[in-house]
Amino acid sequence: MSPTITCADLSVTLPGAAGPVDILRGVELSVDNAELVSVLGTSGSGKTTLLRVLGGLLPATGGEVRCDDTVVTGPPEGVVTVFQDYAHSLLPWRTVRRNVALGIEASLSRSERDDRVDEALTMVGLLDRSAEYPWRLSGGMQQRVQIARALAMRPRVLLMDEPFGALDAMTKASLQDQLQQVQELTGTTIVFVTHDVEEAVYLSDRLVVLRGSPANIGLSLDIPLPRPRHQITTKERSDYLELRHRVYEALGHTVGEPARG
Ligand SMILES: Nc1ncnc2c1ncn2[C@@H]1O[C@H](COP(=O)(O)OP(=O)(O)OP(=O)(O)O)[C@@H](O)[C@H]1O
Ligand SMILES: [Mg+2]
């Protein structure tokens, strides 16, 4: 299968207080069609920077990013980014329905648009809240509205930056499972940034760990756990636990000495 996204020898240098700082150097990454790849790394390692470059929101300083073989020089068609900060990405004066329609208003007829919005809201389980204003919804629901907005655009590639980072464990688990279902239904290619090791192993076909300063890919790990995955049984499997162990080690955690009394 040909990759949808490729980074070749990608470098990013950003201005710092004391001059230019190399954030990413020599990143090689390819993401296949319909693959879900997670990007892990400690805070400040460059995950958001990488996602912004993949989405054409920030130019590469060296090397290149390609989407479907075309060099990315701005946001490519069919690539949609979901940010962590849902509160600032929804428009408070628009209903849920009109927030979800935001990305397709200019391009579709009214009836096509309505169908797409219904479909996207159904996928995230919020069709019955479509007439509400987003600020009347819980944080998890607001994040689902943002995801529905992205889905309504029928993206080929979804770039997600810690989309469940601010949510409680129960809501997070339920959104992880909704994302699995949506991906199974739509075959969307997903790059999923997270700092949550369990989430990355649970969701991914493959995960990569950013390491070093400037960062590059320190570990690339296939996650061959069977699908559909289940919050309880998948996380009890010995291969899940082994994969999780390897990722923690790659992030610099070690199994500590037992506490001495
Ligand atoms: N616009 C910017 N200008 C200059 N430096 C930046 C800019 N954005 C990020 N950086 C720097 O780039 C480095 C990587 O930041 P980035 O936001 O990509 O990290 P991250 O892995 O997403 O971290 P977190 O897990 O905390 O979200 C940091 O040192 C940060 O200070
Ligand atoms: Mg970040």
Side-chain angles (χ1 to χ4, degrees):
M1 194 180 293
S2 69
T4 301
I5 297 178
T6 49
C7 298
D9 198 20
L10 172 70
S11 302
V12 176
T13 303
L14 292 174
V21 184
D22 294 333
I23 309 292
L24 300 173
R25 187 184 293 159
V27 173
E28 304 279 341
L29 175 69
S30 82
V31 182
D32 283 342
N33 187 34
E35 196 179 21
L36 194 157
V37 174
S38 288
V39 179
L40 277 159
T42 50
S43 181
S45 58
K47 303 182 294 298
T48 296
T49 304
L50 176 61
L51 207 68
R52 290 177 66 209
V53 179
L54 298 183
L57 303 171
L58 182 73
T61 319
E64 65 181 19
V65 176
R66 285 175 182 264
C67 182
D68 294 328
D69 283 335
T70 306
V71 176
V72 169
T73 51
E77 180 139 2
V79 177
V80 172
T81 305
V82 172
F83 299 98
Q84 175 173 3
D85 191 0
Y86 49 84
H88 288 105
S89 67
L90 299 176
L91 303 177
W93 59 89
R94 282 184 170 228
T95 60
V96 165
R97 164 167 285 282
R98 294 200 57 232
N99 265 287
V100 173
L102 204 60
I104 51 174
E105 273 172 347
S107 54
L108 295 179
S109 72
R110 189 177 176 142
S111 71
E112 281 175 310
R113 192 172 74 211
D114 284 347
D115 289 349
R116 288 265 197 112
V117 170
D118 286 349
E119 181 189 270
L121 281 169
T122 304
M123 280 195 241
V124 301
L126 280 178
L127 190 58
D128 58 337
R129 308 302 289 266
S130 64
E132 299 253 26
Y133 286 92
W135 40 269
R136 282 196 211 279
L137 304 181
S138 71
M141 288 173 178
Q142 289 180 40
Q143 185 58 310
R144 283 192 271 162
V145 175
Q146 200 201 165
I147 292 169
R149 176 160 74 201
L151 294 174
M153 291 188 250
R154 299 223 179 127
R156 289 208 36 235
V157 179
L158 204 50
L159 305 174
M160 306 182 93
D161 192 2
E162 302 201 31
F164 311 146
L167 305 173
D168 67 278
M170 296 284 282
T171 310
K172 194 181 212 188
S174 125
L175 287 186
Q176 288 167 354
D177 289 339
Q178 272 168 11
L179 186 69
Q180 276 200 82
Q181 282 168 17
V182 165
Q183 204 210 8
E184 203 182 300
L185 275 172
T186 60
T188 310
T189 305
I190 300 177
V191 181
F192 190 96
V193 164
T194 179
H195 60 253
D196 181 333
V197 174
E198 281 80 9
E199 176 169 76
V201 175
Y202 183 69
L203 284 176
S204 305
D205 297 308
R206 189 156 54 88
L207 66 79
V208 298
V209 176
L210 285 184
R211 210 161 37 185
S213 180
N216 66 13
I217 289 173
L219 173 76
S220 174
L221 189 63
D222 285 325
I223 309 290
L225 298 168
R227 292 187 185 274
R229 296 178 185 167
H230 186 275
Q231 293 286 350
I232 298 173
T233 52
T234 299
K235 291 180 179 176
E236 287 170 348
R237 293 173 61 98
S238 58
D239 45 358
Y240 169 87
L241 295 170
E242 270 166 39
L243 291 161
R244 176 178 171 273
H245 188 118
R246 284 188 64 186
V247 180
Y248 271 116
E249 279 186 345
L251 285 164
H253 295 265
T254 47
V255 181
E257 299 271 271
R260 292 171 204 279

